[in-house]
Amino acid sequence: MIYLDYSATTPVDPEVIDTYSRVCREFIGNPNSLHKLGVEAKKLIDASTKQIADILGVKTSEIIYTSGASEANNTAIKGIALKYQNRGKHIITTELEHSSVIAPVSYLTSLGFEVDFVKLDENGLVDLEDLERLIRDDTILVSIAAVNSEVGVAQPIDKIAEVVKKYPKCYFHSDITQCIGKQRIDLTNVDLASLSGQKFFGMKGVGILIKKESIVIEPLIHGGKSTTVFRSGTPATPLIASISKAMRLAYDDFDTKLKQVKEIHDYLIDKIKDLDIYINSNDYCLPNMVNVSLKNIKPETMQHALEEYDIYISTQTACSSAEYSKAVYAVTRDKEKSRHSIRISLSYKTTKEEIDKFVGVFTKLLNDLNIRGE
């Protein structure tokens, strides 16, 4: 098998599975219970939370555990909107956002909120002047992902945060799901940040919302003691320990892993640059993703054809239901390219041998499918 869909989800690291399994066996108590088993489970959660906080450069009190990035995004966006709607009902975002940002923002319009989409330049980067122009007295939230999940555009989060920071009644939320373990990020001036364990070789079903201490949000889930008043429910001790382990592993030998990904990325680009395709990813994209558009071939046709060779890529993000890639369209302004795009996503585990086999099969299928008119 050749797996080139790491941006959709990653296989779970064996060490993470071991941690999860051990905690399931040895820490059976409810962390909110006052007896010995509960106290032991809580101590483990506290240690896991401290490790995550140290890696991300935030306080332990600012970590909210969720079921994933989608819940974290919804909690951040709806939580800010509902808590601070007395200040205003204006939200700013981009066309590059994940559906778990776009959907709650769209939902809020039914409650009387107004949404503006900031302009992007020819590389897909946020136009900072337009962002500042859009911010009003009643703007309460700016939500912009650190890294787009389809094309891989990495936004200048620090510069965006500087703009938003000028407006004390406006908060800055960033979906950082696609950059954990792939780039370092400074969250100093980011008010809220969402991430998911499944994107960096962790378990599915656990995510994190970073919420700065000074900010209050309206919870999505009410009732029941947890690790925080902002997300009710019995703390999932094994999942919390596992995401802490996955994050530590993700940043072990980080520079070496980043170098490996960059080398594989450049090797892939060199192999496909002369093929009859369009390469949509640019120099402002993380090397973990290469987005290309096919000519006269449906992306799902190519996806299933590659699957016959046990090679796995994706078309749009796995959570998307649109007829075309809005992210690709935002960068290319070309509907045909956005309808015919595929995403090849890499990790430090991807080998040159895998790339060679993929390119060989991909080249053959480009010729075969074009001849058959598919």
Side-chain angles (χ1 to χ4, degrees), residues 259-276:
K259 182 181 177 183
Q260 290 173 331
V261 172
K262 184 68 168 63
E263 288 176 354
I264 288 294
H265 168 274
D266 293 348
Y267 187 74
L268 172 61
I269 293 295
D270 186 61
K271 291 281 186 178
I272 66 173
K273 65 183 180 182
D274 295 324
L275 297 179
D276 193 24

Side-chain angles (χ1 to χ4, degrees), residues 294-306:
L294 311 173
K295 297 180 181 179
N296 305 315
I297 300 173
K298 294 178 180 178
E300 58 271 22
T301 300
M302 176 61 76
Q303 182 183 41
H304 292 310
L306 286 167

Side-chain angles (χ1 to χ4, degrees), residues 96 118-128 153-156 160 282 284-285 331:
L96 291 174
V118 64
K119 290 179 182 176
L120 305 171
D121 68 15
E122 65 276 7
N123 294 306
L125 299 176
V126 166
D127 183 327
L128 297 175
V153 177
Q155 298 293 343
I160 294 170
N282 55 45
Y284 294 91
C285 297
V331 173

Side-chain angles (χ1 to χ4, degrees), residues 250-265:
Y251 284 98
D252 281 350
D253 298 319
F254 179 80
D255 292 333
T256 299
K257 292 173 183 173
L258 186 61
K259 182 181 177 183
Q260 290 173 331
V261 172
K262 184 68 168 63
E263 288 176 354
I264 288 294
H265 168 274

Side-chain angles (χ1 to χ4, degrees), residues 27 119 150 152 187 193 264 369:
F27 294 82
K119 290 179 182 176
E150 290 187 47
L187 297 175
I264 288 294
L369 294 174

Side-chain angles (χ1 to χ4, degrees), residues 1-52:
M1 180 184 75
I2 297 177
Y3 188 70
L4 298 173
D5 200 17
Y6 288 96
S7 292
T9 192
T10 53
V12 184
D13 188 289
E15 289 190 51
V16 174
I17 295 175
D18 289 345
T19 294
Y20 179 83
S21 178
R22 180 179 65 83
V23 174
C24 282
R25 294 193 308 270
E26 299 177 12
F27 294 82
I28 64 172
N30 186 322
N32 294 324
S33 297
L34 298 179
H35 54 59
K36 180 182 176 181
L37 295 180
V39 171
E40 289 176 346
K42 186 178 185 306
K43 283 183 179 178
L44 179 61
I45 287 177
D46 289 345
S48 300
T49 303
K50 185 180 185 308
Q51 179 168 265
I52 293 168

